[in-house]
Every structure is written in C-alpha cells, then in structure tokens.
Amino acid sequence: MEDRRGDITIAATATAVPPHSIGYEEVKSYMGQVFSIEGSRLDAMMAVIDNSQVKQRYCVHPVDTIIRPRPLSQISREYQEHSIQLGRKVAVDCLKNAGMTPQEIDMIITVSCTGVMIPSLDAYLINDLGFRQNVRRLPITELGCAAGAAAVARASDFIRAFPDSAVLVIAVEIPSLTFQRDNLTQANLISTVLFGDGAAAAIVTGRSLQGPQVLDTDSFLFPHSLDAMGFDLKETGFHIVLSKDVPQLIRDHIKGLLCRFLARHDLKTDQISAFILHPGGQKLLLYIEDELGLSRGDTQFSWDVLREYGNLSSASVLFVLHEWMTKRSMASGDYGLMAAFGPGFSAEMLLLRWA
C-alpha cells in the first residue's frame, strides 16, 4: 500500500448561495431606474452587461430591498445574520462530504471582505455546530478576491507544522450589501453587474484521504499597485475601488509569475491538467487564456462559475475548485494550478497534484 504520510490533501469542498437570484435582463431593467445615468453612458453600461458573461447571480435579498437605502448599522446586522446562515451550511455540507465530524477539525480559517463582524464567524459556528473549544481560529478579512486561495495555502502551512491535523476553510461573501446607489463611479457601476453573494468551504488535511494534494504555495505583491482594487469605508458602507487597468496588470505579469512558480518543480503550463482560476471577469479570463496559451476547455469551469454566480470574491476560486473536484474525473498524478487575485494588488498560487 502506498505510504502517503506527509501529504496535504484537499479532502472535500462545498458551496452555497442565498435564495434570491437576479438575471442579466433584470439588471438591465434596473440600471437606468436606479442610477442617474442616461444617453451614451447608459448605452455603454448596457453593453457591459451584455458582454459580462454573467447570466445570473444570487443575493441575500430581493433586488427591491438591495437598492433601498438602509443605515449602515442595519446592513451590518444583515451581514452577520446571512454570513452565519451561509457559513453554517457550507461547513455542515463540507464535513459531510469529507466524512468528518466537527470534533475532528483542528483549525477554522474564515475569510470575507464584504463586511465585518466581531466576534468572527468561526466563534458562532463553534458554538452552533459542536467544534472543539480548543480549535484554532484564523479570521482573514482584508485579502479580497485572493483570500480563498490564501486560506487554503495557510491551511497547508498549518498542516506542515501539525501533520495529522485538519483545517476547515470557509469563505463567505455578500457583496450585494455593499451596493451604493448614489455612487456613479465606473467602478461601482461595474461592480453592480459583476459581483454575487455566496459561500464555499474546503477541508484541508494531513490525514490519508482522497483528493488533490497541495505541493507548493506562493504569494506575489504587484509593485506600486495599491489603488488597483479594494474598498473605501464611508458613512454609507463599503465603496468599491476597482481600476480599469486590473486585467492589463494581470496580463502583463501572469505568464512570468506562473511559469516561475511551476519551474520550481520543473513543470510547464502544458503539463497542468486543471486550471483552477479565479473568474474575476471575462476580460481577465480571456487575457489569462491568451498569455498562457489555454483553450476554453482548460478554463471552462471558471467561465461556468462566472456565468452562473458572477464574481463571488474570495469564494469564487473555491467554487471553481468544487467544480473540478465534483465534475471532472482526474487521473492519479494530474497536476492542478490554483490562482486568485486581490487587493494589494496581489496573487495567491497553489500547485496541486491528484493522488
């Protein structure tokens, strides 16, 4: 029997979305009603919606509630309520998919950038679901869309230190609660087209279970790019910061960045079977395909997640990972490359290999 001691394995994943969906035609009908834009600018936004590749998204509230101004205190309460609901669901489902109990989890990493709650989400889940009282906790709040990949990487670091342990990663994002109807910046208008609510979870363990193994991880901070992406917290809540230059920024660096990472293991991109890429937007995915010489078949799951759920921020790359783990039969020895991008501007990368 193969000795797999020392392996770091992603044993299971789970995803969840809230009950309310919004299609792109509905977004088009609301755009002119909600925002004070007209003429050529409204026409341009309609073209953005048509080209976004986002067919639908999910939200914690119906659209009429989302667009209604509410005090920041109320929005914060809504964030806490729905974060706990979504986080609980993916935690329970992920444990079930891994065949594990809460008592077997040694660390919980929770990530989110679309709201703040103190105590953090993990504290509520520990009390609700029966995790051990001495389970380690690591809430991550400020890595944006890169945080899902970063959390899996930090989980693997923990397991290298404690080889028989298991880590539950939970990403919950509710960007619909950051909606700003009086912000007419292009960044805010684009975000209303692109982002959707949802949660995802993954269990990373050093125990002998099936799944892709984490072989290596890396992080990269793009120089002089602080204003590329993020949030400004103002009286009415979170206001998106999103530069139009983000896709080009990734295009300029992605090939060298990923090729250097793979070269540490004497690998090239044509030896990668699974590209688990954060679907930040259609232009971003097109640029990555072009720079790495990928076919649509290589990136289809990223496009599927973008189409059906929009950009789920930190949860997006875990949604894509879930697609690869549940819908594609991978051969033993197949390599996977996981990559996500977020504020800083930064990249998080993981090299995987199926056992």
Side-chain angles (χ1 to χ4, degrees), residues 5-259:
R5 288 176 296 179
D7 291 343
I8 300 171
T9 302
I10 303 174
T13 54
T15 63
V17 292
H20 305 285
S21 64
I22 177 171
Y24 79 100
E25 289 291 352
E26 194 173 5
V27 175
K28 291 173 72 172
S29 70
Y30 273 92
M31 184 63 69
Q33 301 175 35
V34 175
F35 294 108
S36 299
I37 57 174
E38 56 187 14
S40 60
R41 194 174 188 198
L42 180 59
D43 292 340
M45 284 308 304
M46 294 300 174
V48 168
I49 297 169
D50 288 334
N51 294 327
S52 69
Q53 302 299 311
V54 179
K55 175 185 174 185
Q56 66 176 358
R57 290 166 292 157
Y58 292 85
C59 307
V60 296
H61 293 306
V63 179
D64 287 334
T65 301
I66 292 171
I67 64 176
R68 188 175 70 243
R70 306 185 303 288
L72 182 56
S73 58
Q74 180 180 340
I75 292 173
S76 295
R77 289 193 299 271
E78 293 170 357
Y79 173 81
Q80 177 174 312
E81 174 190 351
H82 292 285
S83 291
I84 294 170
Q85 289 178 2
L86 288 166
R88 182 189 294 116
K89 174 147 184 30
V90 291
V92 169
D93 289 349
C94 198
L95 287 165
K96 180 180 178 181
N97 293 341
M100 299 176 69
T101 69
Q103 291 287 311
E104 295 177 85
I105 297 298
D106 301 289
M107 185 181 197
I108 302 173
I109 302 177
T110 52
V111 299
S112 183
C113 69
T114 47
V116 177
M117 53 189 289
I118 302 175
S120 50
L121 171 62
D122 48 81
Y124 290 89
L125 299 183
I126 290 167
N127 287 314
D128 288 351
L129 300 179
F131 291 94
R132 300 197 316 266
Q133 298 302 302
N134 67 342
V135 66
R136 308 288 182 91
R137 302 163 53 205
L138 179 61
I140 301 174
T141 61
E142 293 151 339
L143 290 180
C145 297
V152 176
R154 299 295 77 78
S156 71
D157 292 342
F158 182 82
I159 292 164
R160 286 189 178 92
F162 303 97
D164 293 326
S165 59
V167 181
L168 173 62
V169 170
I170 301 173
V172 179
E173 299 289 7
I174 314 179
S176 68
L177 295 181
T178 71
F179 178 79
Q180 302 291 339
R181 68 178 298 154
D182 295 325
N183 182 342
L184 300 183
T185 64
Q186 192 71 0
N188 187 61
L189 296 176
I190 294 294
S191 73
T192 65
V193 173
L194 191 57
F195 287 92
D197 301 348
I203 289 177
V204 187
T205 180
R207 301 162 196 169
S208 183
L209 296 174
Q210 291 185 338
Q213 301 167 1
V214 180
L215 300 186
D216 198 5
T217 69
D218 204 1
S219 302
F220 182 80
L221 185 69
F222 294 72
H224 311 298
S225 59
L226 291 174
D227 57 352
M229 180 183 293
F231 276 118
D232 284 335
L233 182 56
K234 301 181 180 181
E235 292 83 356
T236 55
F238 288 103
H239 288 247
I240 190 76
V241 175
L242 184 63
S243 170
K244 63 180 177 59
D245 298 326
V246 165
Q248 187 62 46
L249 186 64
I250 292 175
R251 184 172 203 170
D252 290 342
H253 291 273
I254 191 67
K255 185 173 182 179
L257 191 61
L258 295 183
C259 287

Side-chain angles (χ1 to χ4, degrees), residues 2-11 152 160 205 209-217 261-262 264-267 271-276 321 324-325 330-338 349-355:
E2 181 184 3
D3 185 0
R4 293 181 56 195
R5 288 176 296 179
D7 291 343
I8 300 171
T9 302
I10 303 174
V152 176
R160 286 189 178 92
T205 180
L209 296 174
Q210 291 185 338
Q213 301 167 1
V214 180
L215 300 186
D216 198 5
T217 69
F261 178 53
L262 293 176
R264 299 197 320 212
H265 298 266
D266 296 321
L267 293 171
Q271 294 172 274
I272 302 300
S273 300
F275 287 90
I276 305 159
L321 175 64
W324 279 99
M325 289 183 62
M330 305 297 293
S332 178
D334 281 350
Y335 286 99
L337 180 62
M338 186 174 179
M349 300 161 285
L350 297 94
L351 178 63
L352 310 179
R353 182 179 61 203
W354 266 258

Side-chain angles (χ1 to χ4, degrees), residues 313-330:
S313 192
S314 68
S316 282
V317 76
L318 298 180
F319 267 69
V320 179
L321 175 64
H322 183 70
E323 296 288 294
W324 279 99
M325 289 183 62
T326 59
K327 295 183 179 179
R328 184 71 61 88
S329 179
M330 305 297 293

